[in-house]
Amino acid sequence: SRQTADRYLQRIAEEKSGAIWSLNYESGLSRLTGESFHELNDPTGILALVTDGSGSVWVATPNQLLLSENGQLRNVWGRAQEPEFQASALAPARSGGCWIAGGGRVRLFQGGQPGETRAVLDGETAAILGFLEDREGGLWLGTYGSGVIVLDPGGVWRVLLGILVG
């Protein structure tokens, strides 16, 4: 629809079927198949959208993690399973699944279940805005106010502080 296409987009992801998912800055989620957009009204407050290595689309709200199945979103983890669950950012996992940052932790979800916890962070280092997994399995986390944190596969981390050039 024109209304969907005219909104500012912040994320786009393609699932293995070829359908395109888009997330706009008003937290509106749409799925494009063929030439038509289908807006998904649930859930509210969507923060992140990524495609994993197997072509599945993952979506996060502040308190739940969802996975695309047959053009619909299925809640795979959230406050029902873990009362303190919190999400702030997602990154695709090269092996399938996704990495999720939130509640001071960075951990892997595969098959809808939590797996490895790579790190427990606190204070400003826990304010992760976006991140990715590199080809060696390291995680690069962009934080709010604490530079870039690099987590190696063993969980050892280092902080790279940025320099502003004017």
Side-chain angles (χ1 to χ4, degrees):
S1 80
R2 181 170 168 76
Q3 183 179 15
T4 300
D6 284 351
R7 294 187 180 146
Y8 292 110
L9 297 181
Q10 62 172 319
R11 301 275 188 271
I12 298 174
E14 180 182 14
E15 66 184 17
K16 61 186 160 201
S17 70
I20 303 294
W21 292 75
S22 64
L23 174 62
N24 67 36
Y25 278 99
E26 297 166 350
S27 296
L29 186 66
S30 300
R31 184 172 183 263
L32 173 67
T33 54
E35 295 186 15
S36 61
F37 279 96
H38 303 282
E39 290 191 58
L40 292 104
N41 296 325
D42 294 320
T44 58
I46 296 171
L47 300 170
L49 168 72
V50 297
T51 304
D52 71 15
S54 66
S56 296
V57 172
W58 295 80
V59 174
T61 72
N63 58 21
Q64 66 186 135
L65 181 63
L66 303 113
L67 180 62
S68 66
E69 287 183 349
N70 302 316
Q72 301 295 316
L73 291 176
R74 176 176 64 93
N75 184 355
V76 295
W77 200 257
R79 298 232 167 124
Q81 296 85 357
E82 180 183 331
E84 301 298 316
F85 180 78
Q86 186 178 19
S88 62
L90 293 179
R94 290 185 174 273
S95 61
C98 73
W99 291 97
I100 185 166
R105 293 187 289 176
V106 177
R107 57 189 170 159
L108 179 65
F109 275 78
Q110 289 180 310
Q113 297 294 313
E116 170 193 351
T117 295
R118 177 70 57 95
V120 176
L121 307 171
D122 60 5
E124 288 183 357
T125 59
I128 299 165
L129 302 176
F131 64 116
L132 65 81
E133 181 181 10
D134 67 23
R135 71 184 118 208
E136 283 84 35
L139 297 174
W140 293 69
L141 295 83
T143 69
Y144 182 78
S146 295
V148 175
I149 298 172
V150 182
L151 300 170
D152 73 18
V156 176
W157 56 291
R158 60 192 166 106
V159 177
L160 306 174
L161 297 176
I163 300 172
L164 295 177
V165 178

